[in-house]
């Protein structure tokens, strides 16, 4: 399998040999396809998969073929190789495709955790195989420690080991804990996968130099929106 993802273009090109196949979970992301028409077979998801992905179908594409996957604006695609016996639990919303022959298992989260994160189930994939992961920014792998906890923004954690100790938390002094998003506190061994893109409109506003004073001038002065950019 050959996967090419040029960052500026916002798409991914997959080329499959005759022995390879992948399952695409976002069928509308397939924007171009070259191959035998019969090499694409759409199937209904089971109820659990339909609930998690908010989609009813997935597509199995058999090689030889090549196709383009369009990516949402601001997203990149990272591939993760899954070995046999892997115990990583993935946020299923980030998975756009996985290679044929992989197994999947649902892992139900604690109700308190699910209520806060709106994430009832995580998926465990059995390899060997490859996952295509959608993320904001890249994917960073951070090794866990059995005694020194790792704190990760709840919206940035893509995957963590099944046997890791996980709980919702905050850290820092009272002011820090009041301002931050809910954090996952993780201890154990193995890697945690974290998406590194930042969703902070306040920071983007600062980077554009659009401060309070400039906004006031733009609104109060005649033709301020024309002359003040």
């Amino acid at each position: 399998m050959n996967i090419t993802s040029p960052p500026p273009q916002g798409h991914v090109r997959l080329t499959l040999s005759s022995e390879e196949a992948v399952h695409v979970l976002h069928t509308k992301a397939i924007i171009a396809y070259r191959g035998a028409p019969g090499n694409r077979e759409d199937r209904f998801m089971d109820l659990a998969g339909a609930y998690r992905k908010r989609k009813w179908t997935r597509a199995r594409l058999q090689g030889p073929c090549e196709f383009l996957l369009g990516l949402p604006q601001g997203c990149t695609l990272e591939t993760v190789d899954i070995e046999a016996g892997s115990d990583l639990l993935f946020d299923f919303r980030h998975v756009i495709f996985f290679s044929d022959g992989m197994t999947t298992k649902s892992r139900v989260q604690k109700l308190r955790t699910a209520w806060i994160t709106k994430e009832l189930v995580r998926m465990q994939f059995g390899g060997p195989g490859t996952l295509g992961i959608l993320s904001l920014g890249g994917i960073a792998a951070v090794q866990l420690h059995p005694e020194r906890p790792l704190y990760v923004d709840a919206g940035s954690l893509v995957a963590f080991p099944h046997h890791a100790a996980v709980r919702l938390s905050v850290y820092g002094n009272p002011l820090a804990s009041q301002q931050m998003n809910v954090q996952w506190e993780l201890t154990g061994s193995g890697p945690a996968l974290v998406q590194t893109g930042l969703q902070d409109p306040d920071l983007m506003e600062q980077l554009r130099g659009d401060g309070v004073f400039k906004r006031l001038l733009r609104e109060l002065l005649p033709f301020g929106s024309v002359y003040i950019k």
Side-chain angles (χ1 to χ4, degrees), residues 172-185:
N173 65 2
L175 181 59
S177 61
Q178 290 170 13
Q179 295 188 93
M180 70 177 59
N181 296 327
V182 173
Q183 306 284 306
W184 291 95
E185 180 186 304

Side-chain angles (χ1 to χ4, degrees), residues 44-52 55-56 58 92 104 106:
F44 286 105
M45 287 190 180
D46 57 26
L47 289 178
Y51 171 78
R52 290 188 297 271
K55 305 286 183 182
W56 286 104
R58 68 183 184 186
F92 202 46
T104 61
S106 300

